[in-house]
Amino acid sequence: MPPVDLSSYAPEFEIKIDNMGVEVGQELRNSTISVSINERIGDASQLTLFVADKFDVQKQNFIWLEKFLSKDSPLYDPEKKITVSIGYAKKLKPIIIANLKSISTSGFSSDITRLTLTCFDSSHELLTKMSSGKSEKEIVIEKNDTYSKIAEKIARSAKLVPNVTPTNDYRQITVKKNIPYIDFLK
């Protein structure tokens, strides 16, 4: 009986970060303790990475925390997208592409310091961004905009690719202040 290649049965994952070399993603992947992807109907998909952080004794700082929070670091940009792919035997499929939204750290003197990276996919912008208020990305609804044109503007603002059926209908809209765009669309 020929030997069986068990590597094709072992799950694998890969992390990529926008405009960063493969080695940065591989380094982050090697430091990752756990990956959690939470998808709920009607809510944004959430990616949570739990990273074992190391303390650099010479520089007196935590390596990953410094990389993500230092303004001098190329990872500091909150607009960077993190892609997680999952699969078997190097046949990996992208599962989520998300923006980093928060970083927290925890650890006790007898435990390794852990960094928690919380990321959301692009729909998070659509679900949380308000339809009016003081925002540099506020959507301007013009007098002759159709409903489909307004939907396209909202999708682009949330960094989504719009797939909208064109409409000719237009009715003057009374804009309610401080409601999420998703509720405005409904």
Side-chain angles (χ1 to χ4, degrees):
M1 186 165 168
V4 177
D5 181 14
L6 296 178
S7 68
S8 62
Y9 298 102
E12 187 61 55
F13 72 97
E14 177 182 74
I15 299 173
K16 292 182 181 175
I17 303 173
D18 264 358
N19 303 323
M20 302 302 298
V22 176
E23 62 280 347
V24 174
Q26 186 62 34
E27 186 182 352
L28 180 59
R29 186 253 182 259
N30 291 341
S31 298
T32 300
I33 300 167
S34 173
V35 176
S36 171
I37 299 172
N38 191 353
E39 292 184 336
R40 292 180 295 249
I41 295 174
D43 203 357
S45 296
Q46 178 180 346
L47 165 67
T48 307
L49 296 173
F50 298 96
V51 179
D53 206 353
K54 300 175 197 167
F55 187 73
D56 185 338
V57 179
Q58 301 295 331
K59 296 180 182 176
Q60 291 292 303
N61 62 11
F62 288 98
I63 294 171
W64 283 109
L65 190 62
E66 184 72 20
K67 284 182 180 182
F68 280 107
L69 295 181
S70 171
K71 291 184 180 181
D72 298 332
S73 170
L75 293 177
Y76 177 73
D77 182 8
E79 295 297 315
K80 282 201 182 303
K81 294 190 183 318
I82 297 175
T83 304
V84 173
S85 300
I86 297 176
Y88 293 91
K90 301 297 179 191
K91 294 179 183 172
L92 305 177
K93 300 283 184 198
I95 299 296
I96 188 168
I97 300 172
N99 288 337
L100 182 62
K101 293 295 179 187
S102 70
I103 299 172
S104 60
T105 186
S106 64
F108 299 98
S109 59
S110 62
D111 209 5
I112 59 170
T113 302
R114 281 182 285 180
L115 202 57
T116 304
L117 307 177
T118 305
C119 313
F120 290 97
D121 70 356
S122 295
S123 67
H124 183 260
E125 297 284 326
L126 183 66
L127 293 167
T128 58
K129 198 178 285 184
M130 297 300 180
S131 64
S132 64
K134 306 297 181 215
S135 170
E136 66 277 355
K137 294 183 181 179
E138 185 175 333
I139 294 173
V140 177
I141 299 173
E142 297 173 13
K143 184 178 179 181
N144 295 323
D145 280 350
T146 61
Y147 293 123
S148 57
K149 187 70 174 171
I150 295 167
E152 285 179 11
K153 287 180 178 183
I154 291 172
R156 282 195 183 95
S157 173
K159 298 179 185 135
L160 300 173
V161 177
N163 184 4
V164 179
T165 305
T167 61
N168 294 326
D169 298 325
Y170 176 74
R171 178 175 56 115
Q172 190 64 34
I173 298 172
T174 303
V175 178
K176 294 181 181 179
K177 293 186 178 199
N178 299 322
I179 61 169
Y181 284 134
I182 193 75
D183 292 338
F184 177 78
L185 288 172
K186 289 178 186 175

